[in-house]
Amino acid sequence: MARSVAAERGFRNRVLVSLSADDFELLRPHLVSMEFKLRMSMEEPDTAIEHVYFPESGIVSVVAEAAKRKSVEVGLIGREGMTGVAIVLGDDRTSNHVYVQIAGNGHAMPAATLNRAFGESPTLRVSLLRYVQVFLSQTMATASANGQGKLEERLARWLLMAHDRVDGFSLPLTHELIAMMLGVRRAGVTIAIQLLEGRSLIKALRREIVVRDRAGLERLAGQTYGTPEREMKRLFG
């Protein structure tokens, strides 16, 4: 398979790499390379989205505010995807927080510019809707895991998803962060981490978790992990 224009230009974001040459060239002049700093806000609830971001590295979290002002992560975005799902669907805002959870870098463009590009190319929105399908598959899998999975299974799934989106085996994570992402108490996360460490699946260090046995994590996660990943592979190769 021939490399895409985006790949030839050094882009790693899979959404951009998947675009046709004509569609990529519609976006390229407006893509600004930038650093994604920790906790950088990309979208605020019920606020017009100003920019759409295409990560090359790092992790962006989509976080919903649950009951009693308790936050829980409902989506994870890395170099496989993009923010601004609402823009692709024809809206201009979301009800969730979207911010950087693991620092990295990528590209940004004005949401208004992306909307104009949709008017110039019907195939562009269709291409981006494929990623929306993957993202919705992920959010449904997260809801299922949160409702039925044991905490250690959910933790294994989340670590696998994070590992999918970084280079190497080291994840800069704290117990507090994982607890917030999973919507559980810190004490429960500590016990689950100790369980995984006892099975030699991970190594827990200060503000860092090292993946030691990915295959073991996949076995522990079971059916909570894999469906969105297969959908990504089917649609994007």
Side-chain angles (χ1 to χ4, degrees):
M1 181 182 294
R3 297 185 73 201
S4 73
V5 172
E8 290 176 351
R9 290 180 176 271
F11 285 77
R12 299 176 66 197
N13 180 276
R14 290 179 70 181
V15 171
L16 294 177
V17 167
S18 73
L19 298 178
S20 69
D22 289 341
D23 285 344
F24 176 69
E25 286 302 324
L26 274 178
L27 304 188
R28 184 185 59 79
H30 310 286
L31 292 168
V32 177
S33 298
M34 62 179 297
E35 182 181 357
F36 293 169
K37 295 184 178 180
L38 185 65
R39 299 291 177 173
M40 170 186 164
S41 178
M42 295 179 166
E43 296 175 16
E44 294 290 336
D46 305 314
T47 303
I49 298 169
E50 295 184 357
H51 292 87
V52 175
Y53 299 89
F54 298 87
E56 295 276 324
S57 64
I59 292 177
V60 175
S61 290
V62 181
V63 177
E65 190 173 276
K68 298 181 181 179
R69 296 186 178 277
K70 187 176 183 180
S71 297
V72 60
E73 184 181 75
V74 295
L76 207 62
I77 302 168
R79 60 190 170 210
E80 86 294 344
M82 60 180 288
T83 68
V85 165
I87 300 296
V88 181
L89 292 173
D91 202 356
D92 71 340
R93 62 196 63 206
T94 178
S95 59
N96 299 319
H97 296 269
V98 180
Y99 57 87
V100 177
Q101 202 61 269
I102 294 180
N105 62 78
H107 308 276
M109 71 178 299
T113 302
L114 181 59
N115 267 321
R116 287 195 296 271
F118 289 149
E120 296 181 45
S121 172
T123 60
L124 176 60
R125 191 190 295 271
V126 172
S127 295
L128 299 189
L129 280 171
R130 293 192 183 101
Y131 171 69
V132 173
Q133 179 172 336
V134 173
F135 182 77
L136 293 177
S137 175
Q138 182 198 135
T139 61
M140 287 186 285
T142 296
S144 176
N146 289 350
Q148 302 179 52
K150 298 178 181 179
L151 180 54
E152 58 267 28
E153 294 172 344
R154 293 171 57 200
L155 174 59
R157 173 182 181 263
W158 196 88
L159 293 174
L160 287 166
M161 292 171 64
H163 185 231
D164 288 340
R165 291 162 172 83
V166 302
D167 295 318
F169 294 88
S170 176
L171 305 172
L173 303 168
T174 65
H175 291 203
E176 290 85 359
L177 171 60
I178 296 173
M180 192 270 283
M181 292 297 96
L182 296 180
V184 298
R185 297 179 61 184
R186 184 187 184 282
V189 168
T190 299
I191 293 172
I193 287 176
Q194 290 173 347
L195 188 153
L196 268 61
E197 193 169 26
R199 297 185 183 182
S200 299
L201 303 179
I202 62 172
K203 176 68 175 177
L205 304 171
R206 178 175 171 80
R207 306 183 69 83
E208 178 185 10
I209 291 180
V210 179
V211 175
R212 299 180 62 187
D213 182 358
R214 182 181 168 97
L217 286 175
E218 291 180 0
R219 286 192 294 272
L220 178 58
Q223 294 185 354
T224 66
Y225 174 81
T227 299
E229 290 72 25
R230 288 189 292 272
E231 192 73 345
M232 185 73 194
K233 185 175 182 180
R234 181 178 74 85
L235 292 171
F236 288 87

